[in-house]
Amino acid sequence: MYHSKISGLGYFVPENIVTNDDLSKIMDTNDEWIQERTGIQERRHVLKGSGETTTSMGVKAAKIAIERSGLSKEEIDFIVFATISPDYYFPGPGVSLQKELGLRTIGALDVRNQCSGFVYALSIADQYIKTGMYKNILIVGSELQSIGLDMTTRGRGVSVIFGDGAGAAVLSRATDEVSQVLSTHLHSEGEHAKELSVLAPGMGGRWVTDILADNDPNDESYFPYMNGQFVFKNAVVRFSEVIHEGLEANNLQVSDIDMLIPHQANLRISQFIQKKFGLNDDQVYNNIQKFGNTTAASIPIALTQAWEEGKIKKGDTVVLAAFGSGFTWASAIIKW
Ligand code: UT7
């Protein structure tokens, strides 16, 4: 059996910065509330009319990751694209990325696992590489969320949190015994599917023709809904469980963690986990302060930044952990 390793990383965020004060001009919110509850100071939102899409941001991140991997695009064997904000309801953006990057007619798989999407994508890619089916797989997490948020006071509990951006990684067959993905662990609990969801376009019971005929301006089903406190309580439990699960599967201790990259859901969640695991500030990477919650893009953006800042070195034990809508949660333990 082969092993996989991350051979290239990249990210892209739109230039347009939206501060908490900017939001307070269009809805009843304020910098103090947002920072105290979430740690977020600002996020990036694509400018309306810029033409930027989930695919185009993914392409920009992917180009950097491929270049850093030292591979030519002809050497990429497969695409896994994670997003909750696809350009089209179908097909998913994997195929658009294949076209825009000018890749061969390789397979493109779309992953819909929300905030856990990137770790799910990594897990899938890892299995393909382990079996020897593929050698180099492009994994992308990209989100254009601002386009679908309720930017009024009605939607403030959700809309102040989310941001736009993309992150990408190339997963390649490992060439030495050190650097490799040690394990991935994936979970779901559909009982809580509606606690963090977008219900429209309502294939689960509502006919699109009826929705269109109603033309109801108060129809909130196209906007994200989140039962914030319930999600928060589940998140802290599942984050902890799935990190422990990964460590135990590899006979590792908490003290072996060199870098934890949690999905950037809320700085308070990251801080809770950090405290629970007794990790110091250098062992947990957070950038939600600047980018908000970018869902499937948050882990690859944070991982890329941590790596660019020299905070991850060869041989380090890096832990990725995610929790989100579904509910889904997941971890990956990587020997860098
Ligand atoms: O990434 C996927 C996973 N997501 C998560 O893990 C998110 C988990 N949940 C959270 O991060 C938090 O629950 C939130 C940040 C979403 C909300 O924080 P909270 O402390 O749970 O606030 P809350 O929803 O209980 O609302 C408290 C108050 C309410 O007012 P009343 O009823 O006490 O008068 C809200 O209406 O804060 C109000 N509120 C706001 N006020 C100012 C809600 N949103 C805002 C806002 N600005 N943006």
Side-chain angles (χ1 to χ4, degrees):
M1 192 171 65
Y2 300 102
H3 291 289
S4 72
K5 66 161 187 181
I6 291 179
S7 59
L9 286 167
Y11 80 94
F12 169 83
V13 287
E15 272 177 27
N16 181 40
I17 297 171
V18 178
T19 64
N20 294 342
D21 285 339
D22 291 334
L23 293 178
S24 70
K25 289 176 193 137
I26 54 172
M27 64 180 81
D28 181 11
T29 190
N30 56 79
D31 179 55
E32 193 189 352
W33 189 97
I34 300 172
Q35 286 216 46
E36 192 185 305
R37 310 275 176 143
T38 71
I40 299 168
Q41 296 159 5
E42 57 190 46
R43 74 287 291 143
R44 304 296 176 100
H45 283 178
V46 158
L47 271 180
K48 198 171 181 180
S50 68
E52 203 76 83
T53 64
T54 293
T55 299
S56 70
M57 290 191 288
V59 165
K60 287 172 185 155
K63 279 184 176 165
I64 298 168
I66 294 172
E67 192 190 330
R68 286 175 172 169
S69 73
L71 298 166
S72 70
K73 59 186 186 183
E74 287 69 35
E75 291 173 281
I76 302 294
D77 299 315
F78 193 63
I79 298 161
V80 192
F81 198 129
T83 189
I84 60 163
S85 49
D87 299 338
Y88 314 127
Y89 189 71
F90 74 81
V95 294
S96 307
L97 184 97
Q98 179 271 334
K99 175 193 167 250
E100 294 301 327
L101 282 175
L103 300 179
R104 296 175 292 123
T105 54
I106 54 176
L109 178 70
D110 293 289
V111 164
R112 297 197 41 165
N113 287 85
Q114 302 70 246
C115 301
S116 308
F118 186 80
V119 184
Y120 267 73
L122 178 81
S123 177
I124 294 163
D126 179 44
Q127 310 315 310
Y128 277 130
I129 288 176
K130 276 189 171 135
T131 61
M133 181 158 171
Y134 297 128
K135 255 181 153 172
N136 302 299
I137 300 179
L138 177 59
I139 319 165
V140 178
S142 181
E143 304 286 6
L144 171 44
Q145 313 198 88
S146 55
I147 204 170
L149 297 173
D150 180 356
M151 299 298 279
T152 68
T153 299
R154 183 181 68 177
R156 66 182 180 175
V158 174
S159 54
V160 301
I161 296 167
F162 292 100
D164 302 336
V170 177
L171 206 67
S172 298
R173 186 184 287 180
T175 46
D176 63 47
E177 288 302 311
V178 179
S179 306
Q180 55 182 265
V181 174
L182 295 177
S183 68
T184 53
H185 297 270
L186 312 178
H187 294 277
S188 71
E189 191 176 26
E191 187 187 341
H192 305 309
K194 288 188 178 170
E195 304 298 346
L196 175 46
S197 57
V198 176
L199 297 180
M203 297 303 197
R206 289 169 75 207
W207 292 70
V208 172
T209 44
D210 287 345
I211 295 171
L212 292 175
D214 286 349
N215 194 23
D216 176 4
N218 297 316
D219 181 357
E220 292 178 48
S221 63
Y222 281 87
F223 293 121
Y225 163 79
M226 175 160 66
N227 181 350
Q229 293 198 2
F230 185 73
V231 174
F232 194 109
K233 283 178 196 152
N234 278 266
V236 291
V237 173
R238 298 308 193 183
F239 264 114
S240 302
E241 278 178 10
V242 81
I243 294 168
H244 277 303
E245 184 181 10
L247 292 174
E248 279 162 26
N250 294 287
N251 291 318
L252 294 170
Q253 313 297 320
V254 170
S255 56
D256 292 315
I257 299 176
D258 293 301
M259 178 57 76
L260 169 64
I261 313 262
H263 160 56
Q264 301 292 291
N266 182 323
L267 189 60
R268 304 295 158 243
I269 294 177
S270 294
Q271 289 170 336
F272 181 92
I273 302 299
Q274 177 177 340
K275 202 168 165 202
K276 195 167 174 203
F277 281 77
L279 300 171
N280 61 43
D281 288 349
D282 293 337
Q283 291 170 292
V284 184
Y285 194 86
N286 289 302
N287 61 8
I288 190 170
Q289 302 91 326
K290 295 291 170 198
F291 297 143
N293 178 343
T294 56
T295 307
S298 95
I299 287 180
I301 294 175
L303 182 61
T304 305
Q305 286 198 317
W307 174 79
E308 285 177 352
E309 291 167 22
K311 293 185 169 158
I312 302 176
K313 300 176 299 299
K314 188 167 173 98
D316 278 357
T317 300
V318 178
V319 178
L320 312 182
F323 175 87
S325 161
F327 292 149
T328 58
W329 60 103
S331 68
I333 313 286
I334 303 172
K335 190 55 95 174
W336 204 261

mmCIF file of all heavy atoms in Angstrom, residues 228-248:
data_model
loop_
_atom_site.group_PDB
_atom_site.id
_atom_site.type_symbol
_atom_site.label_atom_id
_atom_site.label_comp_id
_atom_site.label_asym_id
_atom_site.label_seq_id
_atom_site.Cartn_x
_atom_site.Cartn_y
_atom_site.Cartn_z
ATOM 1 N N GLY A 228 -27.573 28.603 16.332
ATOM 2 C CA GLY A 228 -26.193 28.863 16.735
ATOM 3 C C GLY A 228 -25.729 28.170 18.004
ATOM 4 O O GLY A 228 -24.695 27.512 18.026
ATOM 5 N N GLN A 229 -26.525 28.317 19.070
ATOM 6 C CA GLN A 229 -26.072 27.755 20.353
ATOM 7 C C GLN A 229 -26.023 26.225 20.311
ATOM 8 O O GLN A 229 -25.123 25.608 20.878
ATOM 9 C CB GLN A 229 -26.983 28.233 21.478
ATOM 10 C CG GLN A 229 -26.842 29.729 21.690
ATOM 11 C CD GLN A 229 -27.361 30.194 23.036
ATOM 12 O OE1 GLN A 229 -27.811 29.403 23.855
ATOM 13 N NE2 GLN A 229 -27.286 31.497 23.260
ATOM 14 N N PHE A 230 -27.006 25.626 19.632
ATOM 15 C CA PHE A 230 -27.036 24.157 19.516
ATOM 16 C C PHE A 230 -25.831 23.666 18.710
ATOM 17 O O PHE A 230 -25.176 22.683 19.073
ATOM 18 C CB PHE A 230 -28.348 23.722 18.853
ATOM 19 C CG PHE A 230 -28.533 22.236 18.789
ATOM 20 C CD1 PHE A 230 -28.832 21.508 19.932
ATOM 21 C CD2 PHE A 230 -28.398 21.553 17.590
ATOM 22 C CE1 PHE A 230 -29.005 20.127 19.877
ATOM 23 C CE2 PHE A 230 -28.569 20.171 17.527
ATOM 24 C CZ PHE A 230 -28.862 19.461 18.680
ATOM 25 N N VAL A 231 -25.546 24.395 17.614
ATOM 26 C CA VAL A 231 -24.400 24.023 16.781
ATOM 27 C C VAL A 231 -23.105 24.162 17.593
ATOM 28 O O VAL A 231 -22.245 23.280 17.578
ATOM 29 C CB VAL A 231 -24.341 24.896 15.503
ATOM 30 C CG1 VAL A 231 -23.071 24.613 14.704
ATOM 31 C CG2 VAL A 231 -25.567 24.659 14.631
ATOM 32 N N PHE A 232 -23.007 25.249 18.328
ATOM 33 C CA PHE A 232 -21.809 25.506 19.139
ATOM 34 C C PHE A 232 -21.575 24.350 20.129
ATOM 35 O O PHE A 232 -20.464 23.808 20.224
ATOM 36 C CB PHE A 232 -21.995 26.824 19.903
ATOM 37 C CG PHE A 232 -20.744 27.381 20.520
ATOM 38 C CD1 PHE A 232 -20.140 28.511 20.019
ATOM 39 C CD2 PHE A 232 -20.162 26.768 21.632
ATOM 40 C CE1 PHE A 232 -18.988 29.026 20.584
ATOM 41 C CE2 PHE A 232 -19.004 27.265 22.200
ATOM 42 C CZ PHE A 232 -18.413 28.403 21.672
ATOM 43 N N LYS A 233 -22.634 23.974 20.848
ATOM 44 C CA LYS A 233 -22.493 22.923 21.876
ATOM 45 C C LYS A 233 -22.057 21.597 21.255
ATOM 46 O O LYS A 233 -21.225 20.882 21.802
ATOM 47 C CB LYS A 233 -23.828 22.730 22.607
ATOM 48 C CG LYS A 233 -24.096 23.818 23.626
ATOM 49 C CD LYS A 233 -25.447 23.616 24.288
ATOM 50 C CE LYS A 233 -25.877 24.899 24.999
ATOM 51 N NZ LYS A 233 -27.312 25.046 25.079
ATOM 52 N N ASN A 234 -22.629 21.265 20.114
ATOM 53 C CA ASN A 234 -22.238 20.022 19.438
ATOM 54 C C ASN A 234 -20.819 20.118 18.906
ATOM 55 O O ASN A 234 -20.058 19.153 18.933
ATOM 56 C CB ASN A 234 -23.207 19.700 18.294
ATOM 57 C CG ASN A 234 -24.455 19.018 18.799
ATOM 58 O OD1 ASN A 234 -24.546 17.790 18.813
ATOM 59 N ND2 ASN A 234 -25.423 19.806 19.261
ATOM 60 N N ALA A 235 -20.468 21.301 18.394
ATOM 61 C CA ALA A 235 -19.143 21.482 17.783
ATOM 62 C C ALA A 235 -18.028 21.189 18.786
ATOM 63 O O ALA A 235 -17.098 20.431 18.488
ATOM 64 C CB ALA A 235 -19.003 22.897 17.227
ATOM 65 N N VAL A 236 -18.121 21.753 19.974
ATOM 66 C CA VAL A 236 -17.010 21.574 20.918
ATOM 67 C C VAL A 236 -16.857 20.105 21.320
ATOM 68 O O VAL A 236 -15.736 19.609 21.480
ATOM 69 C CB VAL A 236 -17.138 22.491 22.165
ATOM 70 C CG1 VAL A 236 -16.930 23.940 21.782
ATOM 71 C CG2 VAL A 236 -18.474 22.320 22.866
ATOM 72 N N VAL A 237 -17.965 19.391 21.422
ATOM 73 C CA VAL A 237 -17.896 17.963 21.778
ATOM 74 C C VAL A 237 -17.291 17.158 20.635
ATOM 75 O O VAL A 237 -16.364 16.360 20.818
ATOM 76 C CB VAL A 237 -19.311 17.427 22.114
ATOM 77 C CG1 VAL A 237 -19.276 15.914 22.307
ATOM 78 C CG2 VAL A 237 -19.869 18.118 23.351
ATOM 79 N N ARG A 238 -17.806 17.376 19.421
ATOM 80 C CA ARG A 238 -17.362 16.563 18.272
ATOM 81 C C ARG A 238 -15.925 16.881 17.860
ATOM 82 O O ARG A 238 -15.181 15.973 17.470
ATOM 83 C CB ARG A 238 -18.304 16.774 17.082
ATOM 84 C CG ARG A 238 -19.738 16.340 17.329
ATOM 85 C CD ARG A 238 -19.831 14.921 17.846
ATOM 86 N NE ARG A 238 -21.205 14.420 17.775
ATOM 87 C CZ ARG A 238 -21.581 13.242 18.216
ATOM 88 N NH1 ARG A 238 -20.710 12.441 18.827
ATOM 89 N NH2 ARG A 238 -22.832 12.845 18.099
ATOM 90 N N PHE A 239 -15.537 18.153 17.938
ATOM 91 C CA PHE A 239 -14.138 18.506 17.651
ATOM 92 C C PHE A 239 -13.219 17.680 18.561
ATOM 93 O O PHE A 239 -12.262 17.061 18.102
ATOM 94 C CB PHE A 239 -13.886 19.993 17.932
ATOM 95 C CG PHE A 239 -13.976 20.896 16.735
ATOM 96 C CD1 PHE A 239 -14.971 21.847 16.635
ATOM 97 C CD2 PHE A 239 -13.039 20.821 15.707
ATOM 98 C CE1 PHE A 239 -15.049 22.697 15.536
ATOM 99 C CE2 PHE A 239 -13.111 21.667 14.612
ATOM 100 C CZ PHE A 239 -14.123 22.610 14.526
ATOM 101 N N SER A 240 -13.514 17.692 19.845
ATOM 102 C CA SER A 240 -12.663 16.985 20.810
ATOM 103 C C SER A 240 -12.623 15.496 20.507
ATOM 104 O O SER A 240 -11.555 14.884 20.449
ATOM 105 C CB SER A 240 -13.186 17.166 22.238
ATOM 106 O OG SER A 240 -13.242 18.508 22.554
ATOM 107 N N GLU A 241 -13.811 14.915 20.313
ATOM 108 C CA GLU A 241 -13.896 13.461 20.060
ATOM 109 C C GLU A 241 -13.056 13.040 18.859
ATOM 110 O O GLU A 241 -12.306 12.070 18.912
ATOM 111 C CB GLU A 241 -15.355 13.078 19.754
ATOM 112 C CG GLU A 241 -16.224 12.897 20.950
ATOM 113 C CD GLU A 241 -17.659 12.569 20.534
ATOM 114 O OE1 GLU A 241 -17.923 12.297 19.340
ATOM 115 O OE2 GLU A 241 -18.522 12.617 21.416
ATOM 116 N N VAL A 242 -13.219 13.789 17.770
ATOM 117 C CA VAL A 242 -12.604 13.338 16.518
ATOM 118 C C VAL A 242 -11.088 13.582 16.515
ATOM 119 O O VAL A 242 -10.349 12.871 15.838
ATOM 120 C CB VAL A 242 -13.342 13.961 15.308
ATOM 121 C CG1 VAL A 242 -12.891 15.392 15.019
ATOM 122 C CG2 VAL A 242 -13.234 13.086 14.073
ATOM 123 N N ILE A 243 -10.633 14.550 17.296
ATOM 124 C CA ILE A 243 -9.181 14.739 17.432
ATOM 125 C C ILE A 243 -8.612 13.572 18.250
ATOM 126 O O ILE A 243 -7.617 12.951 17.873
ATOM 127 C CB ILE A 243 -8.848 16.100 18.093
ATOM 128 C CG1 ILE A 243 -9.281 17.248 17.171
ATOM 129 C CG2 ILE A 243 -7.346 16.195 18.403
ATOM 130 C CD1 ILE A 243 -9.257 18.622 17.831
ATOM 131 N N HIS A 244 -9.275 13.259 19.367
ATOM 132 C CA HIS A 244 -8.834 12.115 20.187
ATOM 133 C C HIS A 244 -8.840 10.825 19.374
ATOM 134 O O HIS A 244 -7.915 10.020 19.457
ATOM 135 C CB HIS A 244 -9.739 11.954 21.416
ATOM 136 C CG HIS A 244 -9.347 12.851 22.556
ATOM 137 N ND1 HIS A 244 -8.097 12.832 23.122
ATOM 138 C CD2 HIS A 244 -10.045 13.792 23.226
ATOM 139 C CE1 HIS A 244 -8.029 13.722 24.097
ATOM 140 N NE2 HIS A 244 -9.201 14.322 24.179
ATOM 141 N N GLU A 245 -9.896 10.641 18.574
ATOM 142 C CA GLU A 245 -10.013 9.428 17.758
ATOM 143 C C GLU A 245 -8.805 9.280 16.829
ATOM 144 O O GLU A 245 -8.217 8.202 16.711
ATOM 145 C CB GLU A 245 -11.309 9.486 16.939
ATOM 146 C CG GLU A 245 -11.574 8.226 16.134
ATOM 147 C CD GLU A 245 -12.852 8.335 15.308
ATOM 148 O OE1 GLU A 245 -13.429 9.440 15.205
ATOM 149 O OE2 GLU A 245 -13.264 7.311 14.742
ATOM 150 N N GLY A 246 -8.433 10.388 16.196
ATOM 151 C CA GLY A 246 -7.288 10.368 15.283
ATOM 152 C C GLY A 246 -5.985 10.082 16.005
ATOM 153 O O GLY A 246 -5.156 9.286 15.547
ATOM 154 N N LEU A 247 -5.816 10.729 17.154
ATOM 155 C CA LEU A 247 -4.574 10.516 17.920
ATOM 156 C C LEU A 247 -4.476 9.054 18.356
ATOM 157 O O LEU A 247 -3.435 8.404 18.187
ATOM 158 C CB LEU A 247 -4.539 11.442 19.140
ATOM 159 C CG LEU A 247 -4.387 12.938 18.858
ATOM 160 C CD1 LEU A 247 -4.512 13.743 20.153
ATOM 161 C CD2 LEU A 247 -3.058 13.249 18.179
ATOM 162 N N GLU A 248 -5.568 8.538 18.915
ATOM 163 C CA GLU A 248 -5.549 7.162 19.422
ATOM 164 C C GLU A 248 -5.274 6.149 18.306
ATOM 165 O O GLU A 248 -4.529 5.185 18.503
ATOM 166 C CB GLU A 248 -6.882 6.829 20.105
ATOM 167 C CG GLU A 248 -6.944 7.356 21.530
ATOM 168 C CD GLU A 248 -8.373 7.426 22.069
ATOM 169 O OE1 GLU A 248 -9.224 6.652 21.601
ATOM 170 O OE2 GLU A 248 -8.611 8.288 22.941
#
